Amino acid sequence: MNPVAPAEIPLSLDQLRGLHLPGGAAGAVQGEVVAAAVLGFLAALLVGLVRYGRGRARATLRRAALAELARSRDLDPEARLVAQARLLRRLDRSLDRSGETEIRATGADWAARLDGRFRTDFFTRGAGRVLADGLYCRQDPDLDALDAELSRLIGRLQA
């Protein structure tokens, strides 16, 4: 008689053993995976909340600046220019991320800083020069055009 090798004997379903990981690793791996997934979700949620909060704060700052600019339109021309210049100083201080606000910057330095802030040349080469260094000069700037450009610049500000 031919002896039959054990591999050749067909097994019935009752004789099969269930699959399992060695050494009880299934519980530890599942716990670590679940913890990593939860931590990843919480980190993503936190980043989203921070970005949302910053966006809201910047939008509020932009709205407040535009409202103050609108209120300055009712002032006489000299007071209007001073109010706009003060608004630009406060806006720059509020938007300064480095914490090193150049409060004392004047003239060409201040105009260059504003141009950098608003990504324009309105304050060094345009009508906005009056707000940087012309507050005490006798001149008659077009205040409505100045208001319109300031509104546009503040409105598109990436605060």
Side-chain angles (χ1 to χ4, degrees):
M1 219 172 145
N2 230 350
V4 180
E8 296 176 11
I9 301 174
L11 297 175
S12 68
L13 290 178
D14 294 339
Q15 295 172 325
L16 294 178
R17 193 176 91 170
L19 296 175
H20 66 280
L21 292 174
V29 171
Q30 287 177 345
E32 290 172 355
V33 170
V34 169
V38 168
L39 288 175
F41 176 74
L42 290 175
L45 183 64
L46 181 65
V47 168
L49 287 174
V50 167
R51 290 188 71 185
Y52 176 75
R54 279 185 162 183
R56 295 240 349 162
R58 289 178 185 151
T60 302
L61 180 66
R62 193 173 23 250
R63 275 195 305 271
L66 288 172
E68 186 171 337
L69 183 63
R71 283 191 301 270
S72 73
R73 291 183 183 119
D74 296 333
L75 302 173
D76 64 86
E78 288 180 20
R80 186 175 181 180
L81 284 175
V82 171
Q84 290 170 348
R86 286 182 180 160
L87 170 64
L88 289 172
R89 289 280 181 180
R90 282 195 311 276
L91 194 57
D92 184 59
R93 258 193 315 263
S94 297
L95 295 173
D96 189 23
R97 293 184 182 129
S98 67
E100 300 175 11
T101 304
E102 296 179 29
I103 295 173
R104 303 275 185 232
T106 58
D109 293 336
W110 177 237
R113 182 171 173 89
L114 288 173
D115 280 345
R117 169 77 63 204
F118 291 100
R119 295 181 178 94
T120 185
D121 64 352
F122 177 69
F123 298 100
T124 53
R125 296 187 183 152
R129 285 185 314 200
V130 70
L131 295 169
D133 60 3
L135 289 176
Y136 303 106
C137 300
R138 292 262 181 218
Q139 55 185 333
D140 293 322
D142 183 2
L143 295 176
D144 292 330
L146 189 64
D147 270 347
E149 184 63 15
L150 284 175
S151 294
R152 186 184 74 77
L153 290 173
I154 292 171
R156 71 179 183 136
L157 187 63
Q158 296 297 320

